[in-house]
Amino acid sequence: MNQPVGAQAEVVLRLRGITKRFGSLTANDAIDLDLHKGEVVALLGENGAGKSTLMSILFGHYVADEGTVEAFGQPLPPGDPAAALARGIGMVHQHFTLADNLTVLDNVMLGTESLWSWRSRRSAGRARLDRLAGAFGLAVRGDARVGDLSVGERQRVEILKALYRDARILILDEPTAVLTPQESASLRATLGRLVAEGLSIIFISHKLDEVLEIGDRVVVLRAGKVAGEVPVADADRPMLAGMMVGRAVEQPQRRQLSPGAVAVGLQGVTVLGEGGRRRLDAVDLDIRAGEIVGLAGVSGNGQSVLSDVLAGLITPDGGHYRLADEDVSRAGTRGLVARGVGRIPEDRQASGVIGDMTIPETLIAEDFRARPFSRFGVIDWRAARDFAARIVSDFDVRTERPDLNARLLSGGNMQKLLLGRALARRPRFVLANQPTRGLDVGAAAYVHQRLLAAREAGAAILLISEDLDEVLRLSDRVAVMFRGRLREADPALGPVTVERLGLMMAGQGFEHAA
Amino acid sequence: MAWLDMLVTASFWVAVLRIGTPLIFGTLGELICERAGVLNLGIEGIMVAGAFSGWLAVYLGAPLGAGILVAMAVGAALGLLHGILTVPLGLSQHVAGIGITLLATSLSYYFYRMVFPTVTEPPRIQPFQPLDLPGLFAQTPMTYLAFLLVALTAYVLYRTPLGLAVRMVGENPAAVEAQGIDVTRLRIGAVMVGSSLMALGGAFLTLSAFNAFYFNMINGRGWICIALVVFASWRPGKALLGAVLFAAFDAFQLRLQQLIGGAVPYQIFLMAPYVLSILALIVMSRRAGVPRALMIPYRKGER
């Protein structure tokens, strides 16, 4: 796929001067973009750089304030997804637009027939779906309920939806964010077949490595503008990272340390779900002081449950959770905070900050009942504000005022706030669940640096992440969860690589321990 | 046993179907709204408005069939109002629905007093007469229509592209939008169709079951329909079953009252069908059936 596409290839899509403002924010600023027949353009940018907005305009979810879109030489009417579909533009959304309770065929056929027809030609639809699935290697059963499919299969359904409508241009929005490395490889193979059939593809991503593997040409967006455009053949990682962020980003380095005593110990921790299903199945794990243990896995395999147990939100049905030598399985959240557990929650908006309360209120949420923040049942706001001012300056939280509502902070600053809350008390154990999800490269590097500093200060750290590069870069040891069970990637069996973790995430190495 | 004998008499089942008919209309109407993702608590008031407007049209000289059309048009208009409030404006479906119920009920009573400022006895009309089809219990045409509509609704929902779009918009409106169908128009359309069926349920009472319009004649039937939709797991066939079952409880308690007489306070009997419906709801309803996007307003481009 990496051979350059000559300038002689037909331009199938032409965006000119696309500008879109949301209030005072300019999400897209005079963006020009061309897509040629049979070409894969990777649209690279940080979260919030305007990639998804641009594609939503192209597909008609939004109307641009300025600029024009031409598909196959004809102007595309703005704000009309039906027109985009009719011109052969198909979109695979990052958040799948599928109905879980309906079948694959229902989802694919929706909108392909006149709403006023008195019957649905389902057998013809099924035949067409099977033919397309066969031709492009996208095996999926038409009668399966979408809710029963894996994430990778759902993505195939999304692609089939577009192909069923004869899409000639396919837009994929962060398609690999939810896939295992093997599923990503299979997606790349599919895209290869589509390009061979003459389709043109726009591939949105914020992952540098993947852009270098998939695209013919990379267009980098930064703060709503085109920051640069290069053929993949001429691009490399540092160059793209610099274009994305606008400056060079320094990656923090992990220093060799000899870990101390076991700080956190899990023995046979089991959590039962509905109908006796084991959401956690006899999980054993030791984390030593001064050690980062990385935990990978396809989401939904028990990482969140384990995180809830470690945070004290769930009491395990069996097994022991020890801090040093004390069993804290039933200590609860307050008990754990008091014993020096620092928690960075998976979803910072939902369970981290309290959006409509101020920064000091969010920062003392874990320990406002005790001194120094309250005396005799009255909150000492001066102490709270001083604490907040210290966190804001120590952890480089960018905010107009220190008493702003937490909701108004950007994702990266919100995460720095939570990081500060968790680390300010010099915890013995840091539970970091998806600490850099959705953060830009600069903010992520900062979070990594602070976690490594906590490690050097002697904290035991569990890093739960879907970003395998992050897991491998920061961790002393790596474990994988699959269907509620946990296995460590044994370094004696050779180097721990993304490929090896991918196989484990798909269940390899879990067979014999039912 | 006297009360067992009662269950096998034809007159009992005639009463069951008669009591069940407004519930069938109402439940189908609510089911269509909810399948599209819009809870319609305006049902109680829409049934009142349907009962009143249909009856008034006939009283003023329209044929019975035209009375039905007038009731449906009034229902659709109220559905349009509810749809505009809840779909493009995205207001709370609970609040908008209760507002519609209060508005429609009060307007009906208001116009009744406007047209008949002095009467004490409600004026009467000539209602639909029972049609004695062979092999079926003698019912008025509207009851047959109700059964027909159950089959039609099931067919449209599960066998046509329109029905697929309606079910999909109640599950995931973003999917509908992504396939080039207008979510707002689809949802408002479904609410209008559903509301016209609710009005039909009200009109049945004034044009078929009785021959006049009384205050409080809907008497909570709309709320029962909301419960029946849950009981039915949002499926038309089970909605029919639920409506008939509830009607059977109701007919049964009426006869039991006559049978037992004054020994037990009659309120106990009045209460019985509701208690039994709550029990049936607990046993029968499965949350799995609930449309995923029910009560969630859809805003274009928002995730």
Side-chain angles (χ1 to χ4, degrees):
Chain A
M1 250 188 290
N2 282 348
Q3 76 279 13
V5 175
Q8 72 280 6
E10 173 198 359
V11 174
V12 293
L13 195 64
R14 193 190 302 273
L15 276 67
R16 283 292 173 270
I18 300 286
T19 299
K20 175 75 183 172
R21 298 181 198 90
F22 295 104
S24 63
L25 175 82
T26 304
N28 286 163
D29 191 355
I31 291 179
D32 294 344
L33 181 71
D34 285 341
L35 178 69
H36 300 89
K37 186 171 158 61
E39 183 188 33
V40 180
V41 167
L43 197 57
L44 180 71
E46 304 266 307
N47 286 291
K51 305 174 302 244
S52 291
T53 304
L54 185 64
M55 291 304 113
S56 291
I57 289 168
L58 172 52
F59 194 66
H61 289 312
Y62 292 140
V63 179
D65 296 322
E66 288 159 35
T68 55
V69 180
E70 269 181 29
F72 302 100
Q74 299 289 316
L76 194 66
D80 187 357
L85 286 166
R87 289 292 178 74
I89 300 175
M91 183 149 176
V92 176
H93 294 77
Q94 183 178 7
H95 305 277
F96 297 147
T97 55
L98 298 170
D100 289 355
N101 281 334
L102 304 184
T103 66
V104 170
L105 189 61
D106 283 340
N107 273 284
V108 170
M109 289 189 70
L110 172 72
T112 60
E113 297 174 289
S114 160
L115 289 184
W116 307 113
S117 114
W118 266 101
R119 64 193 193 90
S120 186
R121 299 169 53 80
R122 292 181 64 84
S123 52
R126 187 185 311 271
R128 181 172 165 78
L129 178 67
D130 289 345
R131 196 169 62 244
L132 286 167
F136 291 99
L138 294 162
V140 67
R141 272 192 318 115
D143 292 325
R145 205 179 135 264
V146 167
D148 296 333
L149 301 180
S150 73
V151 175
E153 287 172 313
R154 283 181 215 198
Q155 190 168 61
R156 279 181 229 158
V157 177
E158 283 279 25
I159 295 174
L160 282 168
K161 256 165 75 175
L163 296 178
Y164 190 93
R165 290 176 164 252
D166 295 319
R168 306 304 300 154
I169 299 170
L170 195 61
I171 305 164
L172 297 114
D173 192 358
E174 303 270 357
T176 60
V178 290
L179 303 182
T180 64
Q182 280 73 19
E183 281 173 326
S184 300
S186 135
L187 173 67
R188 282 199 288 275
T190 303
L191 296 187
R193 272 192 288 265
L194 295 176
V195 170
E197 292 288 320
L199 271 81
S200 313
I201 294 176
I202 297 180
F203 186 98
I204 303 177
S205 180
H206 67 269
K207 296 185 189 164
L208 298 170
D209 300 313
E210 139 183 318
V211 163
L212 291 170
E213 279 179 58
I214 294 182
D216 296 317
R217 189 156 59 92
V218 187
V219 174
V220 182
L221 289 190
R222 184 172 76 234
K225 294 192 176 101
V226 176
E229 191 177 328
V230 275
V232 160
D234 304 341
D236 60 21
R237 218 171 176 279
M239 170 187 175
L240 291 179
M243 278 161 82
M244 237 165 115
V245 187
R247 61 189 153 83
V249 176
E250 215 172 303
Q251 289 293 343
Q253 293 301 314
R254 187 165 57 96
R255 282 196 291 163
Q256 280 304 323
L257 287 178
S258 46
V262 173
V264 182
L266 301 178
Q267 282 96 37
V269 170
T270 298
V271 173
L272 301 177
E274 272 173 50
R277 200 170 55 85
R278 283 163 187 263
R279 298 169 72 203
L280 279 190
D281 191 355
V283 168
D284 295 327
L285 182 67
D286 284 342
I287 309 172
R288 294 168 179 278
E291 179 181 55
I292 295 182
V293 174
L295 184 60
V298 178
S299 77
N301 275 286
Q303 302 95 310
S304 300
V305 185
L306 180 63
S307 163
D308 284 350
V309 168
L310 293 172
L313 294 165
I314 297 180
T315 304
D317 295 298
H320 300 285
Y321 167 22
R322 290 198 176 85
L323 275 183
D325 288 323
E326 186 190 3
D327 190 320
V328 292
S329 311
R330 295 173 184 282
T333 49
R334 272 174 80 184
L336 288 173
V337 169
R339 285 172 179 78
V341 176
R343 304 166 302 167
I344 298 167
E346 178 173 14
D347 184 340
R348 57 181 160 267
Q349 315 249 8
S351 49
V353 302
I354 308 155
D356 287 310
M357 294 180 82
T358 63
I359 290 173
E361 284 171 320
T362 289
L363 284 173
I364 64 168
E366 283 186 330
D367 43 11
F368 63 91
R369 292 180 198 79
R371 289 177 192 227
F373 300 131
S374 79
R375 289 156 179 263
F376 312 115
V378 179
I379 291 184
D380 182 348
W381 284 114
R382 181 177 301 167
R385 276 195 297 271
D386 290 349
F387 179 65
R390 186 157 67 83
I391 299 286
V392 165
S393 81
D394 285 2
F395 286 81
D396 191 29
V397 180
R398 311 261 168 87
T399 168
E400 298 164 35
R401 298 194 319 267
D403 60 345
L404 210 65
N405 281 358
R407 182 167 50 79
L408 299 174
L409 294 175
S410 73
N413 284 311
M414 225 181 253
Q415 195 70 336
K416 285 178 188 171
L417 201 67
L418 296 176
L419 196 67
R421 180 170 83 187
L423 298 182
R425 266 180 287 106
R426 306 197 156 276
R428 290 194 279 172
F429 170 38
V430 178
L431 169 65
N433 196 350
Q434 316 292 350
T436 60
R437 178 183 280 174
L439 298 194
D440 61 51
V441 177
Y446 184 83
V447 170
H448 290 164
Q449 178 207 325
R450 296 307 295 228
L451 286 176
L452 288 169
R455 165 178 176 267
E456 284 174 24
I461 299 175
L462 180 67
L463 169 69
I464 305 177
S465 177
E466 279 168 11
D467 181 344
L468 296 182
D469 292 327
E470 167 179 272
V471 166
L472 289 173
R473 220 165 41 237
L474 295 188
S475 310
D476 297 284
R477 291 185 290 135
V478 180
V480 173
M481 291 205 73
F482 179 70
R483 296 193 182 155
R485 283 177 278 145
L486 184 144
R487 292 281 176 279
E488 207 175 304
D490 189 348
L493 300 177
V496 181
T497 58
V498 169
E499 288 69 33
R500 204 172 137 199
L501 290 182
L503 290 172
M504 286 182 75
M505 283 160 73
Q508 196 182 80
F510 287 84
E511 299 88 356
H512 43 274
Chain B
M1 303 242 314
W3 62 273
L4 261 183
D5 292 343
M6 193 162 73
L7 292 183
V8 295
T9 59
S11 75
F12 174 76
W13 288 104
V14 170
V16 167
L17 294 187
R18 192 184 62 239
I19 296 171
T21 301
L23 300 178
I24 296 172
F25 283 123
T27 308
L28 273 187
E30 185 66 32
L31 185 144
I32 292 170
C33 295
E34 292 191 16
R35 270 297 175 123
V38 181
L39 177 73
N40 191 349
L41 293 184
I43 181 170
E44 181 81 9
I46 292 171
M47 288 180 82
V48 174
F52 172 71
S53 57
W55 167 83
L56 185 68
V58 174
Y59 178 80
L60 295 177
L64 285 164
I68 286 185
L69 292 180
V70 166
M72 290 180 75
V74 167
L78 288 165
L80 176 64
L81 178 61
H82 185 60
I84 289 171
L85 292 177
T86 55
V87 182
L89 298 180
L91 303 187
S92 155
Q93 299 183 0
H94 293 99
V95 175
I98 288 171
I100 298 278
T101 283
L102 294 174
L103 174 76
T105 308
S106 307
L107 277 182
S108 301
Y109 295 167
Y110 173 75
F111 282 119
Y112 181 82
R113 276 290 166 230
M114 290 273 285
V115 181
F116 310 102
T118 54
V119 296
T120 49
E121 186 73 358
R124 298 179 187 290
I125 57 160
Q126 183 62 42
F128 281 111
Q129 295 305 307
L131 267 150
D132 210 351
L133 295 188
L136 290 163
F137 306 112
Q139 296 292 342
T140 62
M142 286 186 81
T143 301
Y144 300 124
L145 176 65
F147 279 81
L148 213 62
L149 280 175
V150 172
L152 183 68
T153 305
Y155 178 85
V156 171
L157 273 181
Y158 293 105
R159 291 276 181 274
T160 67
L162 180 65
L164 174 61
V166 169
R167 285 185 292 139
M168 192 77 96
V169 84
E171 291 286 333
N172 185 355
V176 174
E177 159 113 8
Q179 293 286 60
I181 300 171
D182 191 315
V183 171
T184 306
R185 293 218 304 247
L186 187 60
R187 279 192 161 169
I188 289 184
V191 173
M192 287 176 70
V193 169
S195 300
S196 69
L197 292 190
M198 296 168 187
L200 206 49
F204 170 82
L205 293 174
T206 50
L207 300 183
S208 244
F210 305 102
N211 54 9
F213 176 77
Y214 306 95
F215 286 9
N216 288 327
M217 80 185 301
I218 302 301
N219 194 20
R221 283 183 175 87
W223 309 135
I224 289 294
C225 293
I226 301 226
L228 284 173
V229 172
V230 181
F231 173 87
S233 311
W234 291 267
R235 301 184 84 88
K238 285 171 82 181
L240 174 66
L241 177 75
V244 169
L245 203 64
F246 182 85
F249 289 149
D250 206 19
F252 186 61
Q253 66 87 13
L254 280 171
R255 280 166 173 68
L256 216 54
Q257 270 187 55
Q258 293 157 6
L259 206 68
I260 295 179
V264 180
Y266 74 95
Q267 286 91 344
I268 293 281
F269 297 107
L270 284 182
M271 185 180 70
Y274 298 93
V275 172
L276 285 172
S277 332
I278 291 172
L279 291 177
L281 260 177
I282 293 168
V283 175
M284 285 283 293
S285 58
R286 293 276 178 275
R287 296 300 295 170
V290 58
R292 288 277 175 88
L294 181 61
M295 292 188 279
I296 302 172
Y298 177 70
R299 293 192 185 85
K300 220 175 160 165
E302 207 174 79
R303 304 192 207 290

